[in-house]
Amino acid sequence: MTASSTMPHAAAVQAQPGDLDAVTQEFTIRASQKVHGGLAAGAALVAIGFAASASTSATGVLRWLAAAAFAALAVICARAMTVGDMLVADRVGIRLRIRDEWIGTRWEEIEEVTVLRRRHPLDDGRIAVHLLDPGPVLGAMSSATRKVTDANRRLTGTSLAVPFGLTARPSNGEVVQALHMLADARCPVREQL
């Protein structure tokens, strides 16, 4: 089920003055704007360099192709800067953004959440959400989103997975502990070794 049909977009709890338990804690993974911005600017400069040195000769055509490829990379990186949250977990459940679609589920509908930690600074970690019954969630997706979830399943073993690391930053460095606290024994949160 998509987030818009099953869960409120922001599951905020109204806190009374002095009631600290009522404050909703959230764990998020956001796209790193610094990394994507740097890549976009670098790719744009390289594209301009190739385009400026291109001519009508045979090597000039190759330079135009390289300029077009770097320009496309710059556009992709610039678009990635606008993505914002890729995953939001709170006391109600987990919502993941796959392409431009939010997919959400409650903690009670999750079989387990597995977290693959980052092994080194250039490595990406991963949060994988394994549902008890993935049929209704996957069935409600558009065909383009389903292609992405199929690729996720081939790579990670589950359709719903989000990377974090160099290009996406978690709001809390203790990913397993933060998700375990939010799940509150409704589903297991395990670290994948």
Side-chain angles (χ1 to χ4, degrees), residues 56-101:
T56 57
S57 68
T59 59
V61 172
L62 293 176
R63 289 176 187 253
W64 279 114
L65 290 174
F70 278 105
L73 178 63
V75 169
I76 290 169
C77 290
R79 185 178 182 281
M81 289 174 49
T82 65
V83 168
D85 291 340
M86 297 168 57
L87 177 140
V88 177
D90 56 22
R91 298 243 180 241
V92 176
I94 293 180
R95 293 177 303 280
L96 297 96
R97 181 192 303 260
I98 299 178
R99 293 182 37 99
D100 292 330
E101 190 172 338

Side-chain angles (χ1 to χ4, degrees), residues 2-193:
T2 60
S4 61
S5 63
T6 62
M7 298 177 62
H9 181 64
V13 175
Q14 295 294 328
Q16 300 298 322
D19 187 9
L20 295 177
D21 293 331
V23 177
T24 300
Q25 298 174 350
E26 281 190 346
F27 172 81
T28 60
I29 294 182
R30 297 186 62 100
S32 175
Q33 293 186 344
K34 289 179 184 178
V35 172
H36 288 109
L39 288 173
L45 289 174
V46 172
I48 291 169
F50 273 113
S53 66
S55 66
T56 57
S57 68
T59 59
V61 172
L62 293 176
R63 289 176 187 253
W64 279 114
L65 290 174
F70 278 105
L73 178 63
V75 169
I76 290 169
C77 290
R79 185 178 182 281
M81 289 174 49
T82 65
V83 168
D85 291 340
M86 297 168 57
L87 177 140
V88 177
D90 56 22
R91 298 243 180 241
V92 176
I94 293 180
R95 293 177 303 280
L96 297 96
R97 181 192 303 260
I98 299 178
R99 293 182 37 99
D100 292 330
E101 190 172 338
W102 280 99
I103 298 154
T105 187
R106 298 184 182 278
W107 289 110
E108 294 82 8
E109 298 168 352
I110 299 173
E111 181 179 356
E112 74 174 344
V113 176
T114 57
V115 178
L116 175 64
R117 288 192 182 268
R118 295 178 68 193
R119 294 181 208 108
H120 52 80
L122 296 178
D123 182 36
D124 274 343
R126 181 183 67 242
I127 297 174
V129 179
H130 305 271
L131 300 176
L132 290 169
D133 182 16
V137 174
L138 299 177
M141 293 178 193
S142 67
S143 62
T145 303
R146 211 169 304 125
K147 288 178 184 177
V148 174
T149 58
D150 288 345
N152 270 348
R153 189 177 63 250
R154 286 190 297 276
L155 292 171
T156 66
T158 184
S159 298
L160 303 177
V162 173
F164 65 92
L166 185 62
T167 60
R169 304 276 182 206
S171 60
N172 183 342
E174 296 296 325
V175 176
V176 176
Q177 182 181 359
L179 290 173
H180 180 72
M181 296 294 288
L182 291 170
D184 195 27
R186 291 174 280 184
C187 80
V189 177
R190 296 192 173 95
E191 183 174 357
Q192 183 178 346
L193 301 174

